Amino acid sequence: MVVGAPALTRALAAAALAACAAVSSARAAPDGFAVDARCHDGRAQGPYQLRDARGQLRASGAFDGGVRTGSFIFWRANGLRAAHVPYDDNGVRRGTVAMWYDGDPRHEAVQRLESAWRHGRREGEMRAWYPDGRRRARADFTEGRLVKAEAWSQTGTRLPEDDARRVVLDVVREAETEYGALDALIRRHMPPC
């Protein structure tokens, strides 16, 4: 059987496309989350979205060669923004990480934390607020080390330095716990490459 040039060209194009393994997937996980992402050479590549069982967007970001790159933005089940986590091209946190409190979805979420990162460590200023929007803490970090801390009580009274350091370290622990949960959410919901 002789195959004509147009048919051969179509067959070769289809085979080349399949060989690239650029697979778009929108698959549902057992927990009801659905991943919409692409794969290339067995690794996540390009835009990434994660939706819950109701179709609510819960995370959006991008991968390059299986590594997170650029900004990942997270939302709560009620649609409120939860966090913004920027990554460098090596999948390391770099830039301003921000987190928000949960609340009434009819209103803008109250910011909880803003922290500068460089090379995967806190570097520079970190600020934190109480759920009512009043300042909670302000700190300076150098290479991940706390070098200066200020904090205020819920009534607005400035705290002594030792107490301020404890508050800042509590804020850091809380933020790392939340980041760990968000990180685990993405790791559990990678595209099937």
Side-chain angles (χ1 to χ4, degrees), residues 14-15 22 56 62 66 72-73 117 119 136 153 171 180 183 187:
Q56 176 72 40
F72 267 70
I73 301 171
W117 283 75
H119 304 299
R136 180 177 179 193
S153 69
V171 167
D183 180 59
R187 283 188 282 114

Side-chain angles (χ1 to χ4, degrees), residues 97-141:
V97 172
M99 295 180 169
W100 289 265
Y101 285 103
D102 198 0
D104 184 342
R106 295 174 298 175
H107 303 287
E108 183 70 23
V110 174
Q111 192 166 15
R112 176 175 157 187
L113 169 83
E114 187 175 87
S115 182
W117 283 75
R118 194 166 144 223
H119 304 299
R121 298 186 288 198
R122 283 182 179 77
E123 180 70 34
E125 186 178 35
M126 181 196 83
R127 298 182 300 160
W129 297 269
Y130 287 107
D132 64 5
R134 286 192 236 175
R135 63 185 175 179
R136 180 177 179 193
R138 191 204 154 287
D140 290 321
F141 289 84

Side-chain angles (χ1 to χ4, degrees), residues 149-166:
E150 298 174 283
W152 295 265
S153 69
Q154 289 185 339
T155 60
T157 304
R158 189 178 177 133
L159 300 175
E161 188 175 345
D162 286 345
D163 292 340
R165 290 181 81 76
R166 278 193 288 277

Side-chain angles (χ1 to χ4, degrees), residues 35-140:
V35 176
D36 185 7
R38 296 185 186 278
C39 297
H40 182 73
D41 291 336
R43 296 181 294 189
Q45 181 67 36
Y48 170 94
Q49 288 190 338
L50 179 65
R51 295 182 182 277
D52 64 21
R54 296 180 305 125
Q56 176 72 40
L57 185 61
R58 298 295 296 278
S60 180
F63 284 89
D64 185 14
V67 176
R68 291 178 215 182
T69 187
S71 292
F72 267 70
I73 301 171
F74 297 87
W75 291 269
R76 300 184 191 287
N78 63 10
L80 284 176
R81 181 177 35 200
H84 169 262
V85 183
Y87 295 92
D88 66 13
D89 292 339
N90 297 313
V92 176
R93 282 183 271 185
R94 180 179 183 197
T96 302
V97 172
M99 295 180 169
W100 289 265
Y101 285 103
D102 198 0
D104 184 342
R106 295 174 298 175
H107 303 287
E108 183 70 23
V110 174
Q111 192 166 15
R112 176 175 157 187
L113 169 83
E114 187 175 87
S115 182
W117 283 75
R118 194 166 144 223
H119 304 299
R121 298 186 288 198
R122 283 182 179 77
E123 180 70 34
E125 186 178 35
M126 181 196 83
R127 298 182 300 160
W129 297 269
Y130 287 107
D132 64 5
R134 286 192 236 175
R135 63 185 175 179
R136 180 177 179 193
R138 191 204 154 287
D140 290 321

